[in-house]
Amino acid sequence: MNKMIQWVLAAILTLCGATMLTSCTNDDDPVTPPTDEVEAQLQKMTLREKVGQLF
């Protein structure tokens, strides 16, 4: 029983490790900064308005 638990744990750790290592890619699109118009609108908004847009 103890050997089986060790093998199951090893299999789970292997799968999790493989998933984490293969899920990261280096071909992401660059992030463009917001325009001045959007930046001005964000500065005028209150925190309540900003949070309200998230939900």
Side-chain angles (χ1 to χ4, degrees):
M1 182 71 172
N2 194 14
K3 272 280 208 221
M4 187 175 142
I5 292 174
Q6 288 178 345
W7 279 108
V8 169
L9 182 61
I12 290 172
L13 289 174
T14 301
L15 288 173
C16 290
T19 302
M20 288 177 56
L21 291 175
T22 59
S23 65
C24 299
T25 61
N26 198 13
D27 61 349
D28 295 334
D29 295 330
V31 177
T32 57
T35 61
D36 292 335
E37 183 178 311
V38 172
E39 193 70 35
Q41 288 176 349
L42 286 174
Q43 288 177 354
K44 290 179 186 177
M45 293 173 69
T46 63
L47 181 61
R48 176 172 285 185
E49 290 171 332
K50 290 178 186 176
V51 172
Q53 287 185 356
L54 295 175
F55 298 104

